[in-house]
Amino acid sequence: MFSQHVSKNLSAYCHGELNDEESRGVAEHLLGCQRCRREFEEIKLGVKFAEHLPHTSAPASLWSEIEAALPERSRSINSRTKSSRLIPDFGWQRVAAVCALLLLAMAVGIFWYSSRQSKNATQVADKDKLQQTIHPGNSTDINPNIVENPSTTNNIAPPVAPGSNDKPAETIIASRADGQSWEVARLAGTPTIGATQIEGSGRLAVGEWLETDGTSRAQINVADIGQVDIGPNSRVRLVGTRSTEHRLSLQRGRLHAFISAPPRLFIVETPSATAIDLGCSYTLEVDDAGRSILHVTSGWVALELKGRESIVPAGAICVTQPGKGPGTPYFDDASARFREALSRLDFHNGGAKALSIVLAEAREYDTLTLWHLLSRVEGAERNRVYERLATLITPPQGVTREGVLRLDKEMLDLW
Ligand SMILES: [Zn+2]
């Protein structure tokens, strides 16, 4: 959406090191810029790679090589000027030997990583350069980046029938290794799995319910991809877990998820929408009426119900209602008038009057909301949204009023 690319801030963004305003700026930009989104996906994979690198001791021979080289270096420093002769005195064979060992260590790391990642082969976008480098023979094209292509989201990661024969062999092997239950730790009070109270820790199997009362909390280890904290008065069920998809159902209560995995691997169903993790962390709360509220703290989450989708970046909130699905996402510091009018527009037939307030109150950041509204209102109202959006952010080259009004997907993505 903004003309300046955000490459240099992406790493800090992924690590939560930016202040609120910077973080929001990056999130907004990612919403509209395919190029930066692609880089962001690579950085996330890189972070995951780094987190999983095994800590191994260097072989003893490496140290003897270095030790053997040291006296020569000392001699060289004593007998000549420091700057001119450091490397040559190491001797090329020794340098080559040390480099070869380092390369070998890297190769082992990459092999280890790629064998892990192959479990997720059906989930990782084929265009991901890092994955391509590591795993050149891998030609999965099942998962076009969903942020770029929201309309295809229902085609991604299709459920695989048990025992179906068209799974790749490595997926079958990985699935067996996955296990059918997740570790649960008691954080406070007396959480239960089925009728059993959790003392210290327990396991949540597929189909089982984990429940907390007003004074209890629990933490779930989601396979090897992250943690979910379950707040008081919550009821959550493990729907399924396999290498290509981990799925929970939150019937009521509150969860906080921290996920480090390729997009779309972790999914939470609620009575009024499905939350699909696109990386990083969020809080999701469901009330007794089945309404839910999503607050994303880092990365992105998609909320979906029957083809209606909201893409929610860090710092933004999205409300969902049974039968209506996800409302329009908005940033958490939008004005009270803006939020109230948006709620009427989304769920209470607010019409032109509510839209006028939303448009009048919208700041530059609220283009997140306006962009989503383009496809949710029609006719003259869509034209009004276009007008306001165009004053806040000049349409880039190639984006025309006519194209936006007919919801040209490429133009919307570009903007
Ligand atoms: Zn960009």
Side-chain angles (χ1 to χ4, degrees):
M1 281 189 181
F2 301 113
S3 53
Q4 293 256 313
H5 290 296
V6 293
S7 312
K8 68 177 168 49
N9 283 334
L10 285 176
S11 174
Y13 175 70
C14 200
H15 288 94
E17 291 162 3
L18 297 178
N19 66 35
D20 285 356
E21 192 175 335
E22 290 168 331
S23 174
R24 185 157 309 157
V26 171
E28 274 276 300
H29 180 88
L30 288 175
L31 189 69
C33 178
Q34 290 189 9
R35 184 186 122 175
C36 289
R37 238 170 16 229
R38 215 165 286 148
E39 270 182 57
F40 179 54
E41 291 306 324
E42 279 163 24
I43 286 172
K44 273 197 308 187
L45 261 186
V47 168
K48 187 176 161 63
F49 179 30
E51 280 169 356
H52 285 94
L53 272 180
H55 293 266
T56 47
S57 307
S61 58
L62 174 64
W63 300 119
S64 52
E65 285 290 330
I66 291 170
E67 267 172 15
L70 278 176
E72 290 183 39
R73 180 185 151 184
S74 309
R75 278 197 301 277
S76 79
I77 291 170
N78 289 339
S79 60
R80 296 161 206 188
T81 61
K82 271 186 192 174
S83 57
S84 63
R85 303 284 305 192
L86 272 180
I87 295 293
D89 279 335
F90 254 78
W92 280 112
Q93 290 96 329
R94 288 186 198 281
V95 173
V98 171
C99 287
L101 279 164
L102 288 173
L103 280 173
L104 179 67
M106 277 176 72
V108 168
I110 290 173
F111 172 77
W112 175 88
Y113 175 67
S114 64
S115 62
R116 272 180 78 86
Q117 282 305 103
S118 66
K119 287 202 290 179
N120 299 331
T122 55
Q123 283 287 321
V124 178
D126 64 330
K127 65 186 166 213
D128 194 297
K129 283 185 218 145
L130 179 61
Q131 179 73 354
Q132 280 296 311
T133 315
I134 292 167
H135 214 115
N138 184 351
S139 64
T140 54
D141 49 11
I142 292 172
N143 189 3
N145 184 320
I146 68 94
V147 183
E148 286 167 23
N149 200 356
S151 63
T152 64
T153 49
N154 292 333
N155 302 332
I156 296 159
V160 180
S164 105
N165 290 327
D166 53 8
K167 278 193 196 176
E170 59 185 4
T171 308
I172 294 170
I173 292 163
S175 299
R176 280 197 203 118
D178 280 348
Q180 291 297 306
S181 66
W182 292 348
E183 194 187 341
V184 179
R186 185 187 76 94
L187 294 180
T190 50
T192 57
I193 293 175
T196 312
Q197 287 188 359
I198 302 172
E199 317 275 352
S201 70
R203 294 200 74 87
L204 181 67
V206 171
E208 284 186 318
W209 288 96
L210 167 65
E211 282 191 74
T212 55
D213 62 16
T215 58
S216 49
R217 292 184 297 117
Q219 184 175 70
I220 302 174
N221 267 328
V222 180
D224 58 354
I225 62 165
Q227 282 94 39
V228 174
D229 285 359
I230 306 295
N233 292 318
S234 302
R235 190 167 146 75
V236 64
R237 186 170 69 98
L238 174 53
V239 176
T241 177
R242 56 174 192 264
S243 57
T244 52
E245 187 186 286
H246 304 284
R247 190 179 279 258
L248 274 178
S249 166
L250 178 65
Q251 193 185 52
R252 72 170 142 76
R254 185 173 196 269
L255 66 73
H256 187 71
F258 315 81
I259 300 297
S260 158
R264 307 216 143 237
L265 214 52
F266 179 66
I267 294 171
V268 181
E269 296 169 0
T270 78
S272 51
T274 301
I276 298 155
D277 174 78
L278 306 179
C280 304
S281 70
Y282 64 88
T283 301
L284 184 62
E285 204 165 346
V286 176
D287 70 8
D288 288 336
R291 291 175 295 214
S292 57
I293 180 161
L294 167 77
H295 194 173
V296 178
T297 39
S298 89
W300 297 81
V301 175
L303 276 176
E304 292 178 8
L305 184 78
K306 294 175 189 156
R308 183 176 167 102
E309 183 179 62
S310 291
I311 305 284
V312 191
I317 290 174
C318 191
V319 176
T320 73
Q321 290 220 348
K324 295 189 172 164
T328 311
Y330 56 89
F331 278 111
D332 52 15
D333 61 352
S335 74
R337 260 169 72 77
F338 180 91
R339 296 156 76 142
E340 193 266 339
L342 188 62
S343 168
R344 275 190 284 133
L345 198 59
D346 280 339
F347 302 119
H348 307 287
N349 306 315
K353 211 171 147 194
L355 182 63
S356 297
I357 297 171
V358 168
L359 297 181
E361 291 279 323
R363 311 153 301 163
E364 193 177 16
Y365 288 139
D366 300 320
T367 46
L368 164 76
T369 304
L370 301 192
W371 186 86
H372 276 84
L373 276 180
L374 279 172
S375 54
R376 296 175 181 205
V377 296
E378 293 172 343
E381 293 189 342
R382 184 176 298 161
N383 193 44
R384 289 176 66 200
V385 176
Y386 172 87
E387 291 281 343
R388 184 70 180 125
L389 194 49
T391 15
L392 292 170
I393 294 176
T394 312
Q397 218 173 5
V399 175
T400 64
R401 178 194 300 262
E402 293 67 35
V404 170
L405 293 184
R406 71 177 136 82
L407 302 180
D408 182 285
K409 215 188 106 28
E410 256 175 50
M411 288 195 201
L412 290 177
D413 283 353
L414 207 58
W415 206 2

